[in-house]
Amino acid sequence: MFSYRLDHLRELESESIYVLREVAAQFERPALLFSGGKDSIVVSYLAMKAFYPARVPFPLLHIDTGHNFSETIEFRDHWVQKLGMNLIVRNVQDSIDKGRVKEEKGIYASRNALQTVTLLDSITELKIDAAIGGARRDEEKARAKERFFSHRDEFGQWDPKNQRPELWNLYNGRKQQGEHFRIFPLSNWTELDVWHYVQKEKIELPSLYFSHKRNVFERSGNLYALAEFMKMAPGESASEKIVRFRTIGDITCTGAVESTATSLEEIIAEIATSRLTERGTRIDDQRSESAMEDRKKQGYF
C-alpha cells in the first residue's frame, strides 16, 4: 500500500474518532446502529479505538428484520462478545405483531422499509438522543446530503434543507425536546477506503463478503439468495453460483455479485475496476428515483 494511502487512512481514522468523541461529549444517551455490515463493523471498531482502554460508552442497537442472513447474526454475536460491548436488539416482527406496521405481500415483499417504525419506536423507548450509523456520502445521492451531525425533528424525520453548517470541525448537537441526531463518522470515507482500512487493521468481516457457493435466482438483472421467505415468480429458478455480497442487509432486497474474490486483496482489486456502485444490487433503492431520500425523510437509517 502506498504511503499516501496510509496517510489518507490515518486522516480519515482521526476524523472519525474525533466525531465519536464529540458524540460522547455532547449527548447523554447515544447508541451505535449496528447491521453486521462492514461499515457498522468499522464504526464499532473505531469506537473501540476512540475510548480505549475504557469501554465504549454507548451500546450497539440492531434493528432485526427477521430476514437477515444467518451468517450476519452469527458474526454480530461473535463481534459483540469480542469488543465487550452491550447489544440491544429490537425486532420488526414485534412491530408487525403490535399492528405498528403491515407486512408487505407478493414476490417483491420486503421488511427493509418496515425497519423505520421499529427504529423510531426504539429511539423513543430508549431515549436515544444520537443514533450513530455507518452511512457514507459516496453510497447514494441522498446520503451525500448528510452532515456528520444530521438533525432529526421530534417525529424522527429528516429535512435535507434544514441541516446545520459544519465549519472548522465544529459540530452543533443542540436540540429541542424529542428531537435527536443521526451521526455519520464515515461520511468522508469511500467504499475503497473502508476496504483498505479493513485490510490495514486486519478487521474481521462476515464470510458473506467473500466468494462462496450459494443457491441464487435472477430477478431484474440481480442475483438474490434463495431463502424460505423469498417468493419466486413464474419462470424464475434457482441455481448454484459462486457469489459474494458487496453490501449486507435484509435478504429480500440484497443482491449478490458473481465473483471469485476470496481475499481482501482480490476484493479491493475488483472494486477498483467495477462500474457497478455498491448499492447497485439493492432492490429497495430501485423502487423509485428518490427511494432512499423518501425513506430517509421518514426516519430511515
Side-chain angles (χ1 to χ4, degrees):
M1 193 183 302
F2 296 111
S3 60
Y4 83 88
R5 172 61 63 179
L6 288 173
D7 290 342
H8 176 61
L9 292 178
R10 290 191 190 101
E11 290 176 2
L12 290 173
E13 179 189 67
S14 178
E15 179 181 62
S16 298
I17 286 175
Y18 174 74
V19 170
L20 288 165
R21 289 173 176 167
E22 279 292 299
V23 171
Q26 294 195 41
F27 297 97
E28 295 181 3
R29 298 180 68 88
L32 198 164
L33 303 180
F34 190 80
S35 67
K38 66 182 185 310
D39 297 322
S40 62
I41 291 169
V42 167
V43 174
S44 62
Y45 178 85
L46 288 164
M48 181 190 69
K49 272 197 162 188
F51 303 103
Y52 183 85
R55 295 185 64 179
V56 177
F58 41 76
L60 300 179
L61 172 61
H62 181 213
I63 305 300
D64 188 351
T65 66
H67 291 171
N68 291 293
F69 292 93
S70 60
E71 294 94 331
T72 303
I73 301 302
E74 291 168 8
F75 183 88
R76 179 200 69 186
D77 295 341
H78 159 74
W79 187 247
V80 168
Q81 184 176 16
K82 180 175 180 177
L83 294 189
M85 294 183 68
N86 180 31
L87 172 67
I88 300 172
V89 180
R90 291 295 181 265
N91 299 287
V92 171
Q93 185 62 54
D94 291 338
S95 298
I96 295 171
D97 294 341
K98 294 174 183 176
R100 293 283 293 143
V101 292
K102 184 177 181 181
E103 184 117 49
E104 295 180 1
K105 304 296 183 182
I107 63 171
Y108 295 105
S110 173
R111 289 184 173 183
N112 195 55
L114 307 187
Q115 296 179 81
T116 299
V117 171
T118 310
L119 172 62
L120 293 177
D121 286 350
S122 301
I123 288 173
T124 300
E125 172 203 350
L126 301 169
K127 300 180 180 178
I128 293 170
D129 54 3
I132 306 164
R136 308 183 321 270
R137 288 173 180 149
D138 74 317
E139 286 183 83
E140 202 272 344
K141 59 186 179 182
R143 285 182 165 166
K145 300 177 183 179
E146 291 280 19
R147 302 287 197 268
F148 281 99
F149 278 30
S150 185
H151 176 263
R152 296 299 195 272
D153 66 18
E154 64 272 25
F155 302 106
Q157 296 179 332
W158 173 65
D159 180 359
K161 297 180 180 179
N162 187 29
Q163 298 299 314
R164 298 168 184 178
E166 294 180 336
L167 305 174
W168 307 294
N169 294 328
L170 297 175
Y171 304 118
N172 183 355
R174 294 180 182 177
K175 58 181 181 57
Q176 300 297 322
Q177 185 71 27
E179 299 175 345
H180 72 278
F181 279 80
R182 303 290 171 86
I183 313 294
F184 300 108
L186 302 186
S187 288
N188 287 334
W189 297 54
T190 66
E191 183 186 9
L192 267 178
D193 290 332
V194 170
W195 281 108
H196 278 295
Y197 189 73
V198 167
Q199 182 185 44
K200 171 180 172 291
E201 297 291 312
K202 298 180 173 58
I203 300 174
E204 293 182 68
L205 291 177
S207 59
L208 292 165
Y209 282 111
F210 302 89
S211 291
H212 58 284
K213 290 182 179 179
R214 183 175 292 269
N215 288 324
V216 297
F217 65 94
E218 184 174 348
R219 174 179 293 167
S220 303
N222 296 321
L223 296 175
Y224 294 97
L226 194 64
E228 59 180 343
F229 42 78
M230 290 290 283
K231 297 180 180 179
M232 290 190 290
E236 293 179 340
S237 60
S239 61
E240 187 179 77
K241 293 182 181 293
I242 299 176
V243 300
R244 71 176 194 86
F245 295 86
R246 285 179 66 181
T247 177
I248 296 176
D250 189 283
I251 291 179
T252 58
C253 62
T254 304
V257 293
E258 291 191 76
S259 170
T260 58
T262 57
S263 68
L264 292 174
E265 292 79 6
E266 291 173 336
I267 289 173
I268 289 171
E270 181 180 274
I271 294 171
T273 58
S274 175
R275 301 184 66 180
L276 179 69
T277 64
E278 180 181 8
R279 294 186 66 90
T281 57
R282 291 293 293 263
I283 198 168
D284 51 327
D285 289 351
Q286 299 170 10
R287 291 192 172 190
S288 73
E289 283 292 326
S290 59
M292 173 64 81
E293 183 157 338
D294 292 341
R295 295 200 307 276
K296 287 177 69 63
K297 287 179 178 178
Q298 295 165 4
Y300 185 76
F301 295 17

